[in-house]
Structures are given as C-alpha cells and as structure tokens.
C-alpha cells in the first residue's frame, strides 16, 4: 500500500489530479497540440484523415504531459525562444501513437479509447503505414532538436518498445511465463517511454545527472504502475472505463499478472480451465465470466494492485531530490490517480 503521508495528500481516483496538471501546463499543452496537428499534415489525404480520427478519439496525452511537467519541474525557461520541450513532447506522443496503431493491428482490436480503432475504420494496411509515418515524424522532431543525447534516449526507447511487444508475443498463451519476464514485458512496452519522456525534461534544462536519473526512475516506476493497472482493468472494469472491449487480453491469451496470479493459486479443475482457455486457446462464450470468478476468488486483482502500489511509491520517492513545489505535488497526485483508476 502507498505510504500514509502520500495518501493523505493525494486526490481521489477520478481524473481531477490529471486535470489539475493539464490546467497548470495548459499553454504548453496547447502549443504541443498545435505542433502535433501541424506535423500530422500531409499531401497524402489518408494520413490527415486517419490522424483526425486519432485526435477525435481524445486520450489523456499523459506522456507528453510528463515531458512538459519534467521540463518545468527542472526550471526550463519560458518564452517563444524556448520551445524544445514542446517539440519533444510532440515527438513522445508520435512514438506512442505509432505503437498504438501497430498494436491494434497485431491484436486485431476494434476499440481504442472507447471509439472504433483506426484499423477497424481504415483497415490494417493504412494503420501500419500511418504508424510508420508517425515514427518518421518523431525522428524528424528529434533531428530538429539537435541533441544527440536526446536522440539517443528517445530512439533507444522506441527500440525497447518494439522489443517489449515482441517479448509479449513470445509469452502469449504461455502460462509458464515467470512474473519476472512479465515485468520485463511491461517495462519494454510501456515504462521505457515514460522514463524517456521524463528524463529529457532534465536534459534540455541542463540539470545535473542526479536529477536526470531521478526523473528517469520516476517515469519508469510510474509506467510500470500504469501498465499493471491497465492489466488489472481488463478483468475489473466496465467497457466505458477501459476504453476498449472488456476481456481483450483474455481472448488474445495475453499473459498478465491477474492471469499469472490466478493460475499460480489454481488447483484441479481451475488449473485445467486456465490451460484450456489460455494455452490451448479454446474458449466458449461463458469462459470470460468463469475467468473473472476465478480471478476474484484468488484475489489476483488485489495482488496486481499491490504491485502497482509498490511501483507508484518508488515513483513518488524518486521525486524527493526536487524541492517541494506545487508542480511536484501535482506529479505525486497524478501518480496516485494512476493507481487509483482500478479502485
């Protein structure tokens, strides 16, 4: 559980904490959104059409928000001549959106953020190619920034994301996957970009390495907590909360902590059930409901949330190198919101 001192200052599990952070960074975020829209433009009509579909779907833009917040936390100066954090926040969002487009094709997903996914509307080929376009745009923005260190961190994150997705594919339907390997998957597919998004805020402000690494640790642990909660929500949320079809991970045979925790406690018919529905991928219409009952019985969601709380506390502790400011508190509250989404 999160430390009492953190819980006493944190907001409730709704989106209020994230809204306060977004309001505080409103001018920066508006400039970032303008950059995103302008860089999504193309003389090829399908690209801005698909891009407009993604923008209409909304999303919290958490990763670019973290880049902007990290830069401001480190004292990045204001003024029209200081725009590096804006372009790099847009770069982070392009990397993230490109991976979402590709993921939805790989997973054959029909929903994204509560609306029809891009591949459901435009087809798989268009989604893959526009994802490639967004990756290319992200590297253009890195080049525009001109920092080899920034480029190295963001390009390494992009490669790590791909490795995480491939590792997840290799563990699919495999109940012998260790919890350690599962954590490697979510570090690659999610936490690596959170870490890079936060660290570059310190780099462009030319802060000491101690602060760079503190923000990298904050981002890593926040990303781990974020993905653990997402994996819990697939078995504990309603469709409106999750923004995708409930049970997608189950139907795809994805190995997540709720499944691993339930399987490790299973005996007899329960163990046979998990092997049939996950390893053999033989599922009936009633199996999701049965899986939910076994997960509840084994307290697998609680085990997942306990792990998310542990990472969230590590994220908050990493911020201790910075002086207490309203922005630091907003980042603490945003961390608490992240783990409270499933409660």
């Amino acid at each position: 559980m999160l430390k009492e001192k953190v819980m006493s200052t944190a907001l409730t599990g709704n989106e209020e904490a994230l809204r306060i952070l977004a309001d505080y960074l409103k001018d920066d975020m508006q400039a970032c959104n303008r950059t995103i829209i302008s860089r999504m433009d193309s003389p090829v009509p399908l690209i801005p059409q698909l891009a407009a579909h993604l923008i209409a779907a909304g999303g919290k833009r958490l990763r670019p928000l973290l880049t902007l917040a990290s830069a401001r936390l480190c004292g990045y100066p204001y003024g029209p001549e200081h725009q590096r954090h804006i372009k790099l926040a847009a770069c982070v969002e392009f990397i993230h959106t490109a991976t979402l487009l590709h993921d939805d094709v790989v997973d054959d997903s029909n929903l994204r953020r509560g609306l029809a996914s891009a591949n459901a509307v435009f087809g798989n080929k268009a989604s893959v190619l526009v994802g490639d376009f967004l990756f290319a745009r992200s590297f253009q923005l890195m080049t525009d920034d001109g920092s080899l260190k920034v480029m190295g961190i963001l390009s390494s994150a992009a490669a790590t994301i791909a490795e995480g997705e491939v590792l997840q594919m290799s563990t699919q339907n495999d109940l012998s996957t260790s919890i350690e390997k599962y954590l490697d998957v979510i570090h690659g597919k999610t936490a690596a970009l959170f870490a890079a998004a936060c660290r570059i805020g310190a780099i462009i402000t030319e802060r000491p390495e101690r602060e760079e690494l503190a923000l990298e640790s904050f981002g890593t642990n926040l990303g781990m907590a974020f993905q653990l909660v997402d994996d819990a929500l697939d078995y504990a949320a309603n469709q409106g909360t999750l923004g995708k079809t409930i049970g997608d991970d189950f139907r795809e045979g994805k190995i997540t902590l709720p499944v691993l925790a339930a399987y490790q406690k299973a005996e007899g018919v329960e163990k046979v059930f998990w092997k049939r529905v996950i390893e053999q991928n033989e599922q009936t219409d009633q199996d999701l409901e049965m899986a939910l009952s076994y997960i509840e019985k084994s307290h697998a969601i609680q085990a997942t949330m306990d792990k998310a709380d542990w990472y969230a506390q590590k994220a908050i502790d990493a911020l201790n190198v910075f002086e207490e400011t309203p922005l630091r508190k907003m980042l603490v509250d945003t961390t608490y919101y992240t783990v409270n989404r499933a409660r």
Side-chain angles (χ1 to χ4, degrees), residues 226-247:
F226 183 92
Q227 189 59 54
L228 280 158
V229 173
D230 261 16
D231 290 348
L233 282 169
D234 200 69
Y235 292 94
N238 59 55
Q239 187 164 302
T241 300
L242 190 58
K244 66 178 185 178
T245 308
I246 297 302

Side-chain angles (χ1 to χ4, degrees), residues 3-237:
K3 291 178 183 175
E4 196 64 32
K5 65 180 179 67
V6 173
M7 294 182 71
S8 66
T9 61
L11 299 174
T12 58
N14 59 28
E15 296 183 12
E16 183 72 3
L18 202 57
R19 183 192 64 75
I20 290 172
L21 180 63
D23 283 351
Y24 184 84
L25 299 167
K26 181 174 65 175
D27 291 344
D28 283 347
M29 201 64 223
Q30 287 176 347
C32 178
N33 287 335
R34 289 193 294 270
T35 301
I36 289 170
I37 291 169
S38 67
R39 294 295 181 123
M40 278 182 164
D41 196 21
S42 168
V44 179
L46 184 58
I47 292 175
Q49 287 173 16
L50 196 150
H53 175 81
L54 293 173
I55 292 169
K60 299 175 181 63
R61 298 258 165 96
L62 178 55
R63 293 155 186 82
L65 266 176
L66 290 172
T67 298
L68 299 172
S70 297
R72 293 304 186 196
L73 184 68
C74 291
Y76 189 73
Y78 288 86
E81 69 276 23
H82 300 293
Q83 298 292 303
R84 292 179 68 188
H85 66 314
I86 302 295
K87 291 183 177 181
L88 290 174
C91 174
V92 166
E93 181 67 4
F94 280 151
I95 294 171
H96 174 56
T97 305
T99 62
L100 293 186
L101 286 169
H102 291 165
D103 287 351
D104 285 344
V105 171
V106 171
D107 296 339
D108 197 24
S109 298
N110 293 318
L111 284 178
R112 169 65 63 183
R113 295 166 178 162
L115 298 176
S117 60
N119 55 303
V121 176
F122 297 95
N124 287 341
K125 293 180 180 179
S127 292
V128 169
L129 293 173
V130 173
D132 292 344
F133 171 84
L134 295 181
F135 266 129
R137 279 288 193 249
S138 74
F139 279 90
Q140 286 179 327
L141 285 162
M142 291 181 221
T143 303
D144 289 349
D145 182 72
S147 167
L148 286 177
K149 186 172 183 179
V150 167
M151 181 178 288
I153 288 169
L154 288 173
S155 60
S156 292
T160 301
I161 293 168
E163 289 173 342
E165 294 292 349
V166 173
L167 183 59
Q168 178 172 261
M169 185 175 65
S170 71
T171 64
Q172 195 158 319
N173 305 108
D174 184 3
L175 288 167
S176 68
T177 301
S178 66
I179 291 177
E180 289 72 21
K181 182 171 282 190
Y182 160 75
L183 293 174
D184 286 342
V185 168
I186 66 174
H187 175 270
K189 64 179 282 188
T190 302
L193 187 57
F194 274 72
C198 293
R199 185 173 181 179
I200 58 176
I203 292 172
I204 64 172
T205 319
E206 299 181 352
R207 301 304 300 166
E209 185 179 42
R210 176 168 172 261
E211 292 184 16
E212 274 185 46
L213 297 179
L215 282 171
E216 182 180 57
S217 176
F218 169 72
T220 297
N221 288 293
L222 178 61
M224 295 294 288
F226 183 92
Q227 189 59 54
L228 280 158
V229 173
D230 261 16
D231 290 348
L233 282 169
D234 200 69
Y235 292 94

